[in-house]
Amino acid sequence: MKGFDRQTDYNYKEMRAAILIWLEKKLDEQAVEWLKTTGEKLANNPEDWLLYTSFSAVPRHTGKQVLTFSADEMEKAKSIRKNWEPIDWSADQLGRVFLMLNFAKNGKNEFLEKIEKIFLTSDMGEAVALYKGIPLYPCQEEFKKRAAEGIRSNMTTVFNAVAHHNPYPAEYMDEGAWNQVVLKALFVESSLYKIIGLDERANKTLAKILVEYAHERWSAGREVSPELWRPVGPFIDDEYSDDIQKVLNHPDKTHKQAALLALEKSDFSGRDNLLENHKDLVNEMEENNIGWDDIGKEVEED
């Protein structure tokens, strides 16, 4: 996979143990005891009804509060599962994935068959938990089609579960599918800065698609997200010079900053002149260490 280092030899059992430790720190004793007891039952060839009812019952025991993770816990997560950061996970989502990782003890075929049935019958909350868990399940290759289904979802929360803070798309999707992830994020006004691998998997075809999308928006008198220019930046050339000049002339400072960040990543022959023409803003951005995440957060707050 060009430009992005895929996870290899992932040990999901180690992740299951780490998740239990996190849950013990973040939930009350009764909720943890229920998860541990239920997880043990699901690890030993449970009846289907027990799997399905247990999965649905998780929020009643854990609540739905968003969990916070310490810097050490974040590092631990990435040390077990490369590129993964447990950001914006709620207690019920982590509890549900914990149960599925316990159920995975029953073997590949049983796990894949039953988790697909749960995907098909899930409500939105259940679906979001399942899609967030994709980079943590065993048999990673088997989830390509399911991840693609999540990206095609009409529900933005489900799309975000696959696209945001999730390394799976960058690691497993081919260029065409990956480009659709980025384009759809813009289409549904979802943040780009939360997409893992966005810079590493930038490509010329994606740049062309995004510039054409910008032209369509401008023709209709609509704004273009400043984040759009992040994956375009490395491919700015004479063909795109008028476009980036248009963004530099935008009255909004965030748009100008995005254009300058994009230019800094390009080999465009007119790059230095354009940066020089806006050197005061360039200097201000350097002094305040303004980067793409700041642009994304600014757009998100508007």
Side-chain angles (χ1 to χ4, degrees):
M1 193 67 66
K2 182 181 177 182
F4 199 82
D5 189 13
R6 176 186 289 187
Q7 169 72 51
T8 56
D9 62 9
Y10 169 57
N11 187 344
Y12 83 89
K13 297 176 183 176
E14 189 179 359
M15 178 58 75
R16 183 179 61 214
I19 288 175
L20 178 57
I21 291 172
W22 297 336
L23 289 169
E24 287 172 334
K25 291 181 180 177
K26 301 174 193 306
L27 300 182
D28 64 45
E29 190 174 333
Q30 284 185 322
V32 173
E33 187 58 33
W34 182 83
L35 285 168
K36 289 171 68 174
T37 302
T38 305
E40 289 169 2
K41 292 177 182 175
L42 296 184
N44 291 288
N45 300 307
E47 297 285 344
D48 287 356
W49 67 266
L50 179 61
L51 172 63
Y52 302 142
T53 57
S54 299
F55 187 78
S56 295
V58 171
R60 293 203 300 274
H61 296 273
T62 64
K64 296 182 179 181
Q65 69 275 22
V66 176
L67 302 175
T68 57
F69 291 82
S70 67
D72 287 345
E73 288 170 337
M74 285 288 186
E75 285 302 313
K76 178 68 175 179
K78 285 195 287 188
S79 73
I80 301 172
R81 204 312 181 183
K82 186 188 296 181
N83 304 317
W84 181 65
E85 297 177 339
I87 297 174
D88 294 338
W89 277 69
S90 62
D92 59 307
Q93 291 164 357
L94 197 63
R96 278 172 161 153
V97 170
F98 172 73
L99 292 187
M100 293 313 301
L101 294 181
N102 276 270
F103 181 69
K105 288 183 178 179
N106 295 292
K108 176 181 176 180
N109 293 340
E110 182 75 358
F111 174 67
L112 293 176
E113 177 190 347
K114 294 297 170 17
I115 196 171
E116 179 61 17
K117 286 184 178 177
I118 299 176
F119 266 114
L120 292 173
T121 58
S122 60
D123 62 25
M124 189 171 69
E126 293 168 344
V128 168
L130 288 169
Y131 279 112
K132 280 190 166 188
I134 282 180
L136 307 184
Y137 304 140
C139 323
Q140 293 276 284
E141 290 277 353
E142 304 292 339
F143 287 91
K144 289 182 180 178
K145 289 184 179 177
R146 177 45 60 188
E149 284 294 320
I151 291 299
R152 285 193 289 269
S153 172
N154 293 325
M155 294 181 284
T156 302
T157 50
V158 172
F159 169 81
N160 287 344
V162 187
H164 285 173
H165 306 301
N166 190 333
Y168 196 88
E171 291 182 356
Y172 285 91
M173 289 185 171
D174 62 29
E175 184 173 288
W178 167 258
N179 291 348
Q180 286 304 309
V181 173
V182 180
L183 181 62
K184 181 167 180 178
L186 289 164
F187 193 75
V188 300
E189 300 182 347
S190 182
S191 298
L192 295 194
Y193 78 97
K194 295 179 179 177
I195 298 177
I196 293 176
L198 182 64
D199 296 321
E200 293 86 348
R201 293 213 55 192
N203 60 82
K204 193 171 185 177
T205 301
L206 176 61
K208 181 178 175 60
I209 291 170
L210 296 181
V211 171
E212 289 175 350
Y213 173 73
H215 289 173
E216 291 175 7
R217 298 273 300 184
W218 286 336
S219 295
R222 305 178 71 181
E223 284 284 6
V224 171
S225 170
E227 287 196 287
L228 178 145
W229 304 103
R230 181 171 181 170
V232 173
F235 306 97
I236 292 173
D237 55 14
D238 289 339
E239 182 180 358
Y240 300 149
S241 62
D242 288 345
D243 299 309
I244 207 67
Q245 183 68 64
K246 181 182 177 77
V247 185
L248 282 170
N249 292 333
H250 196 285
D252 187 285
K253 187 176 178 179
T254 305
H255 289 255
K256 294 178 186 289
Q257 291 174 327
L260 293 172
L261 288 173
L263 277 170
E264 287 177 347
K265 289 292 185 183
S266 80
D267 295 324
F268 170 50
S269 59
R271 184 191 88 147
D272 291 344
N273 284 339
L274 289 174
L275 291 174
E276 178 63 23
N277 291 341
H278 295 81
K279 62 181 180 182
D280 289 345
L281 184 54
V282 171
N283 292 338
E284 179 186 320
M285 292 170 66
E286 289 177 350
E287 288 173 5
N288 294 297
N289 199 27
I290 299 296
W292 280 113
D293 284 4
D294 301 294
I295 300 295
K297 291 172 184 174
E298 189 73 28
V299 173
E300 198 171 46
E301 291 173 0
D302 281 347

